[in-house]
Amino acid sequence: MGLGKTIALEHPEWRCQCIDLDSADSTESNAVFLVDELLNPSLENQIVRRNAMRLCARLVPYRPAETSKTLPVRQHGHYLICGGLGGLGLLLAKRLAARGARRLTLCGRKSASPEAASVIAELEQLGAIVHVNQTDITDAGQVQDLIATASAQSPLTGIVHAAGMLDDGVLAQLDWPRCRRVLAAKTVGLQYLHEYSLHLPLEFFIGFSSMVSLTGSPAQGAYVAANCFVDGLMQQRRAEGLSGISINWGPWAEAGMAARLDDKQRLRLSSLGILPMSAEDAFRALDRLWPNPPAQIGIMDIHWPSFLSHFPGASDMPLFESLRQPSARTLTTESAPTSPAAWPAQLESTAVADRRSLLSALVSAEINRVLGAESNRFIAPRQRLFDSGLDSLTAVELKNRLSALLACPLNTTLLFDYPTLEALTNHLATMLPVSFEVIEVAAQATTSSAIDEQTAALDLLSQQQLEDLLAEKLGLIAE
Ligand SMILES: NC(=O)c1ccc[n+]([C@@H]2O[C@H](COP(=O)([O-])OP(=O)(O)OC[C@H]3O[C@@H](n4cnc5c(N)ncnc54)[C@H](OP(=O)(O)O)[C@@H]3O)[C@@H](O)[C@H]2O)c1
């Protein structure tokens, strides 16, 4: 389902829908359901069939219990953090130690970096015993050893899976080795941790997933799929009566993957209304989920009206239905520069001679929008857009926005085929049902009226005169 969410965003023209059939039901019954979905397409793109019911995904606000407590952390507990030497792993280790945990096992494939070593020294000063274990959790034998070694020191009471990696790229650029690297720790690694810890009486088993597995994310197909696996496995654990929760985190401010993003990527997130969270806010939100944590929840600092108006397709996606409050809707309309399919009408009502420059200005504003720049920032007409900040991710976003505004499908290679503002504008002009060519239209009119006159003159000639004229023309060609 994860990859499907990205396909839907990168290629809206394919109308990708994710349908999860019911393995407990017959093939015939599932086939009837599937055909019905295919013959009656809807805007729903995350559909699950269970117990003869059609269930569609919705994001809804979560209301914690009035009597919420905190993540259970005990002095005599033993906490394993996979990915514990990474940004969020270390922040969590500090939090657990500050809350009284006295035994922590932190694992990663590499040994502790100088930064991790200094955090470990801090933890030890707080009185914690810290074991650093170099384990690749995608190796079954290493995971068995990790759990056996940790349990022998002191029974494990909590596991956090915070291992993962990013390697972004649009679907057309992805190959299996790249996908496998991103998927491995969150699929194979998590599965091993789950299987080899089944005998342990864990108070919690937390999967660090990402908000992108809720919303989808262009150019992050493998990462979205990897995080969807975390969500699915935690749902499965809960259905089996085990502890388990998947947190779809938004970006964190202090450390980790999001803190390492460059300015352009940060700007892109903030233009979507997604802000980096402080660790304090993140842990406070995590605490409020206890004593009855849901199987999956998103924790993020997000301004929904901005997100709904700028995230591709979000304004129509049923997933966000309950987040489109009247106030959010008003803001969405106000902050959106143009409504979908607005350009043809806008251009039509402009003088023909001014249409190309208007189109150029509109395209330029959209380029600036996806780059998070001021809408009137000057873009040199012949400068390569990929040299002025556009990348494969923003190219997909731009292509999708232009397609919606022009109300016509556009090729995925649009920005590669027409890499400058000028080339792009000229190409888009040919895609619109609006005339741009004042002079050409007049010239064509002259040409066609000249042809009409010639035809009328030929009508006046006799058969012999026509044959002579033809012979003369053929003679000219032969010469
Ligand atoms: N940071 C954020 O804002 C954010 C937001 C949403 C979700 N998340 C999720 O939170 C988790 C932690 O992210 P982070 O920001 O702390 O990332 P990070 O700083 O890159 O840390 C990830 C850690 O995972 C470890 N790891 C990767 N593959 C592994 C494997 N096969 N076996 C064992 N360890 C492995 C890495 O260590 P080695 O390379 O040494 O193995 C690394 O230290 C990730 O799952 C991420 O998807 C983070």
Side-chain angles (χ1 to χ4, degrees):
M1 196 163 274
L3 194 60
K5 291 179 189 177
T6 292
I7 295 172
L9 292 170
E10 285 188 28
H11 295 277
E13 72 281 9
W14 293 351
R15 294 169 192 268
C16 176
Q17 282 184 300
C18 303
I19 302 175
D20 184 357
L21 297 174
D22 191 350
S23 58
D25 205 346
S26 68
T27 309
E28 289 75 18
S29 162
N30 276 316
V32 169
F33 180 85
L34 186 59
V35 170
D36 195 45
E37 287 295 335
L38 293 174
L39 293 178
N40 300 291
S42 66
L43 279 177
E44 298 292 350
N45 71 352
Q46 294 182 47
I47 302 165
V48 171
R49 180 167 189 255
R50 290 291 181 276
N51 303 320
M53 283 188 294
R54 178 182 189 263
L55 306 168
C56 301
R58 294 287 183 275
L59 280 183
V60 289
Y62 176 76
R63 314 245 173 264
E66 294 282 311
T67 53
S68 65
K69 295 189 175 156
T70 57
L71 177 72
V73 182
R74 312 203 187 280
Q75 193 176 350
H76 298 293
H78 182 180
Y79 303 99
L80 165 63
I81 308 176
C82 294
L85 300 171
L88 302 199
L90 290 169
L91 287 171
L92 178 66
K94 279 204 246 183
R95 176 76 171 191
L96 295 179
R99 296 278 290 279
R102 289 294 164 263
R103 193 177 291 272
L104 298 163
T105 294
L106 310 181
C107 104
R109 290 165 301 181
K110 298 192 282 289
S111 56
S113 64
E115 189 207 341
S118 98
V119 173
I120 290 167
E122 268 180 56
L123 300 174
E124 288 170 341
Q125 281 200 335
L126 286 170
I129 298 166
V130 184
H131 306 283
V132 174
N133 197 312
Q134 264 179 269
T135 299
D136 181 345
I137 56 168
T138 65
D139 182 307
Q142 291 189 36
V143 176
Q144 277 176 300
D145 285 350
L146 168 72
I147 296 208
T149 309
S151 301
Q153 283 149 352
S154 166
L156 278 174
T157 47
I159 295 183
V160 179
H161 179 284
M165 65 175 294
L166 281 175
D167 183 6
D168 294 351
V170 290
L171 293 165
Q173 296 171 329
L174 282 186
D175 54 26
W176 178 237
R178 284 182 72 186
C179 286
R180 192 172 46 198
R181 282 193 320 130
V182 174
L183 288 166
K186 286 189 182 243
T187 56
V188 181
L190 180 61
Q191 182 71 29
Y192 288 151
L193 275 179
H194 157 68
E195 283 174 17
Y196 297 126
S197 65
L198 278 173
H199 61 289
L200 302 173
L202 299 174
E203 274 197 275
F204 59 79
F205 190 136
I206 306 176
F208 274 26
S209 176
S210 162
M211 67 171 288
V212 300
S213 70
L214 296 175
T215 60
S217 179
Q220 292 196 304
Y223 187 65
V224 175
N227 284 292
C228 274
F229 185 90
V230 179
D231 304 340
L233 188 72
M234 291 304 168
Q235 298 270 6
Q236 183 194 317
R237 282 183 62 93
R238 290 296 289 274
E240 291 170 357
L242 299 165
S243 60
I245 176 169
S246 183
I247 314 271
N248 302 102
W249 292 114
W252 289 47
E254 284 103 321
M257 298 173 176
R260 297 194 292 265
L261 294 178
D262 62 29
D263 287 350
K264 198 178 78 186
Q265 292 167 312
R266 267 177 235 211
L267 204 62
R268 187 180 160 271
L269 286 179
S270 67
S271 71
L272 289 171
I274 303 169
L275 301 171
M277 264 175 310
S278 70
E280 188 49 43
D281 284 349
F283 289 133
R284 203 176 310 122
L286 180 66
D287 274 340
R288 293 186 70 197
L289 306 177
W290 265 263
N292 298 308
Q296 181 184 355
I297 189 160
I299 300 181
M300 62 205 77
D301 187 350
I302 186 165
H303 181 247
W304 284 110
S306 303
F307 182 84
L308 293 172
S309 58
H310 293 126
F311 190 71
S315 52
D316 293 332
M317 252 187 240
L319 177 70
F320 302 115
E321 196 177 74
S322 67
L323 300 165
R324 282 193 282 272
Q325 303 301 332
S327 55
R329 243 198 317 268
T330 316
L331 233 156
T332 305
T333 327
E334 279 168 8
S335 62
T338 38
S339 56
W343 285 7
Q346 201 177 343
L347 288 159
E348 193 75 62
S349 62
T350 303
V352 180
D354 297 333
R355 286 179 189 168
R356 194 172 295 270
S357 53
L358 172 63
L359 182 61
S360 175
L362 291 169
V363 173
S364 166
E366 285 307 312
I367 295 168
N368 283 332
R369 176 175 303 279
V370 298
L371 294 179
E374 288 287 314
S375 65
N376 58 357
R377 181 186 67 123
F378 174 72
I379 298 175
R382 293 189 182 169
Q383 184 188 0
R384 278 179 51 81
L385 296 170
F386 284 103
D387 293 339
S388 61
L390 208 71
D391 57 17
S392 51
L393 173 61
T394 37
V396 169
E397 204 178 321
L398 180 61
K399 189 259 314 175
N400 289 345
R401 285 190 65 86
L402 292 174
S403 179
L405 290 161
L406 290 152
C408 73
L410 294 170
N411 206 315
T412 330
T413 56
L414 179 76
L415 274 304
F416 296 94
D417 299 338
Y418 305 99
T420 63
L421 174 62
E422 185 182 77
L424 186 58
T425 305
N426 287 340
H427 172 67
L428 296 179
T430 67
M431 308 287 293
L432 283 161
V434 178
S435 176
F436 284 81
E437 309 301 340
V438 191
I439 300 156
E440 263 182 40
V441 168
Q444 268 174 13
T446 317
T447 316
S448 60
S449 73
I451 289 169
D452 287 349
E453 277 171 28
Q454 280 174 9
T455 313
L458 289 175
D459 283 345
L460 298 173
L461 298 179
S462 69
Q463 183 68 25
Q464 188 55 52
Q465 284 170 316
L466 278 172
E467 282 174 12
D468 290 348
L469 187 61
L470 186 60
E472 188 186 326
K473 295 274 180 206
L474 288 174
L476 279 175
I477 293 168
E479 277 167 22

